[in-house]
């Protein structure tokens, strides 16, 4: 797929997913303004881009208005792991809702096309499996995960209301579990948890009976889908699921990580957190039809790259740098 050169704003650009997107946009010849407040994003994720003349870094919180001139806005800003988004749940909701309002306002002022990085969490603990975009979800509005789930649901509402009310060019993707290099080692997500625990020789903590399932998409595949979505015709708004439809139990993932790391770690079980989904798997029919996209990187291949990244990271001092 070919892309014309554009001025791109990536909010949350120093985060795990945002840094990979910034990198890919630069590879395609775009100018990139990376905006991050560094709550969960890290400078080390984008340090290798700082010498690029088409890359600019700005420390800014999207809950405050931003005045810049851009053609494309990729709105990725928001803590995405339970450990981080539950640390300050009020701020998490503000980031999703106020952040969406501010970025939509910017897009309207400058005539930019804007993409919202929504999430599979809008489906809650689903009663439909796999989850198609037409499914409205099963979400607890007052639970400990609600700051993220409901914040993202409200952001989607805002995007479609801006389109209906202001004819804004919007794109919405619902991202399922994504993993790869530059994940935060302490973000509490299952892949990073298991890999770090295995590399340290610690017990691997599985919540519940471990039979709950997830689908894991490698970050390179995910970024490709995001870029394809941004370049779709104006009448394609989404939401579109992007993720890997391959489904694995949490126990299967733990065993695979132990095997690939050669670790002596033991698997222990802890109580299941509140509202933890029992099943999570995308129906990517629309992504295949509209974006001509599906994941190409198998779980074992992606895990090897992720393990190598964390192995190098843990060898540094401090380990969480």
């Amino acid at each position: 797929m070919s892309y014309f050169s554009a001025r791109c704003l990536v909010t949350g650009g120093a985060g795990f997913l945002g840094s990979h997107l910034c990198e890919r946009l630069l590879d395609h010849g775009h100018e990139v303004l990376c905006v991050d407040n560094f709550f969960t994003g890290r400078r080390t994720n984008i340090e290798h881009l700082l010498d690029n003349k088409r890359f600019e870094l700005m420390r800014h919180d999207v809950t405050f208005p931003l005045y810049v001139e851009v053609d494309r806005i990729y709105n990725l800003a928001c803590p995405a792991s339970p450990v981080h988004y539950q640390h300050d749940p009020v701020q998490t909701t503000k980031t999703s809702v106020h952040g969406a309002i501010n970025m939509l306002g910017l897009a309207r002022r400058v005539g930019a096309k804007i993409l919202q990085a929504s999430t599979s969490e809008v489906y809650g603990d689903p009663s439909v499996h796999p989850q198609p975009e037409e499914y409205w979800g099963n979400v607890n509005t007052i639970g400990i995960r609600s700051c993220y789930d409901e914040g993202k649901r409200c952001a989607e509402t805002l995007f479609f209301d801006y389109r209906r009310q202001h004819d804004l060019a919007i794109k919405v993707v619902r991202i399922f579990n994504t993993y790869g290099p530059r994940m935060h080692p302490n973000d509490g997500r299952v892949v990073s948890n298991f890999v770090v625990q295995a590399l340290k020789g610690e017990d691997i903590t599985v919540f519940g009976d471990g039979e709950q399932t997830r689908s894991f998409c490698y970050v390179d595949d995910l970024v490709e889908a995001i870029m394809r979505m941004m370049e779709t015709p104006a009448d394609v708004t989404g939401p579109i699921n992007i993720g890997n439809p391959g489904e694995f139990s949490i126990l299967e993932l733990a065993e695979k990580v132990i095997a690939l790391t050669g670790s002596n770690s033991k698997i222990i079980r802890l109580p299941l957190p509140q509202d933890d989904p029992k099943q999570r798997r995308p129906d990517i029919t629309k992504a295949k039809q509209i974006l001509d996209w599906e994941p190409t990187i198998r779980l074992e291949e992606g895990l090897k790259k992720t393990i190598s990244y964390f192995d190098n990271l843990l060898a540094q001092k401090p380990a969480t740098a």
Side-chain angles (χ1 to χ4, degrees), residues 1 28 39 78 113-114 116 118 127 145 151 170 214 230 265 287 291 297 304 314:
M1 179 174 284
H28 281 275
F39 174 61
C78 191
K113 189 187 297 187
I114 182 168
Q116 168 68 4
S118 191
S127 56
R145 301 169 69 103
I170 67 162
R214 296 291 185 272
M230 182 62 95
S265 295
L291 307 181
I297 298 171
K304 287 178 180 177
L314 293 172

Side-chain angles (χ1 to χ4, degrees), residues 62-63 75-80 85-86 88-102 104 116-124 139-161 172-174:
V62 295
T63 61
N75 188 37
L76 276 59
C78 191
Y85 66 64
Q86 290 169 15
D88 189 344
V90 172
Q91 185 62 25
T92 295
T93 303
K94 284 182 177 179
T95 301
S96 288
V97 178
H98 292 183
I101 291 169
N102 288 330
L104 287 161
Q116 168 68 4
S118 191
T119 171
S120 60
E121 297 297 333
V122 300
Y123 298 122
V139 178
N140 177 1
T141 62
I142 59 172
I144 60 173
R145 301 169 69 103
S146 307
C147 58
Y148 184 68
D149 302 0
E150 290 298 303
K152 288 289 192 177
R153 285 163 69 95
C154 185
E156 286 195 13
T157 301
L158 285 161
F159 265 67
F160 281 89
D161 282 339
V172 176
V173 291
R174 290 176 177 163

Side-chain angles (χ1 to χ4, degrees), residues 261-292:
T261 56
S263 175
N264 293 319
S265 295
K266 307 298 181 190
I267 296 174
I268 63 169
R269 288 171 172 77
L270 297 176
L272 197 66
Q274 180 186 341
D275 300 326
D276 192 60
K278 299 175 190 68
Q279 291 179 303
R280 185 58 58 72
R281 175 186 163 205
D283 180 333
I284 62 167
T285 302
K286 286 187 177 179
K288 289 179 179 179
Q289 293 173 345
I290 297 170
L291 307 181
D292 189 25

Side-chain angles (χ1 to χ4, degrees), residues 67-303:
Y67 301 95
V68 292
E69 298 294 324
V70 291
D71 308 302
R72 301 272 194 272
I73 301 171
Y74 297 83
N75 188 37
L76 276 59
C78 191
S81 73
V83 168
H84 289 149
Y85 66 64
Q86 290 169 15
H87 173 72
D88 189 344
V90 172
Q91 185 62 25
T92 295
T93 303
K94 284 182 177 179
T95 301
S96 288
V97 178
H98 292 183
I101 291 169
N102 288 330
M103 291 306 109
L104 287 161
L106 172 61
R108 186 185 176 205
R109 284 194 300 274
V110 301
K113 189 187 297 187
I114 182 168
L115 179 143
Q116 168 68 4
S118 191
T119 171
S120 60
E121 297 297 333
V122 300
Y123 298 122
D125 186 5
S127 56
V128 172
H129 190 74
Q131 293 80 58
E133 291 86 351
E134 292 76 18
Y135 177 52
W136 289 357
N138 176 36
V139 178
N140 177 1
T141 62
I142 59 172
I144 60 173
R145 301 169 69 103
S146 307
C147 58
Y148 184 68
D149 302 0
E150 290 298 303
K152 288 289 192 177
R153 285 163 69 95
C154 185
E156 286 195 13
T157 301
L158 285 161
F159 265 67
F160 281 89
D161 282 339
Y162 263 77
R163 176 170 175 79
R164 286 184 284 261
Q165 191 169 336
H166 303 298
D167 197 29
L168 197 65
I170 67 162
K171 309 288 177 184
V172 176
V173 291
R174 290 176 177 163
I175 298 172
F176 283 67
N177 288 54
T178 307
Y179 71 100
R182 300 185 203 143
M183 294 183 82
H184 197 292
N186 300 322
D187 71 2
R189 285 189 269 196
V190 65
V191 172
S192 51
N193 263 9
F194 286 0
V195 170
V196 170
Q197 288 169 341
L199 289 172
K200 288 183 173 181
E202 299 173 350
D203 290 335
I204 288 186
T205 51
V206 169
F207 294 100
D209 59 11
E211 294 304 317
Q212 64 269 38
T213 64
R214 296 291 185 272
S215 57
F216 303 101
C217 186
Y218 190 68
V219 62
D220 290 355
D221 281 333
L222 200 287
V223 167
E224 177 64 24
I226 288 175
M227 292 185 64
R228 290 187 182 213
M229 182 64 177
M230 182 62 95
E231 301 308 319
T232 53
D235 61 341
V236 177
T237 59
I240 291 183
N241 290 336
I242 52 176
N244 195 319
E247 190 174 9
F248 297 88
S249 74
I250 297 302
L251 265 181
E252 284 181 283
L253 177 67
E255 290 163 355
K256 197 173 282 286
V257 168
I258 288 172
L260 290 174
T261 56
S263 175
N264 293 319
S265 295
K266 307 298 181 190
I267 296 174
I268 63 169
R269 288 171 172 77
L270 297 176
L272 197 66
Q274 180 186 341
D275 300 326
D276 192 60
K278 299 175 190 68
Q279 291 179 303
R280 185 58 58 72
R281 175 186 163 205
D283 180 333
I284 62 167
T285 302
K286 286 187 177 179
K288 289 179 179 179
Q289 293 173 345
I290 297 170
L291 307 181
D292 189 25
W293 173 90
E294 61 182 315
T296 61
I297 298 171
R298 297 175 63 86
L299 180 61
E300 187 165 317
E301 179 187 352
L303 283 176

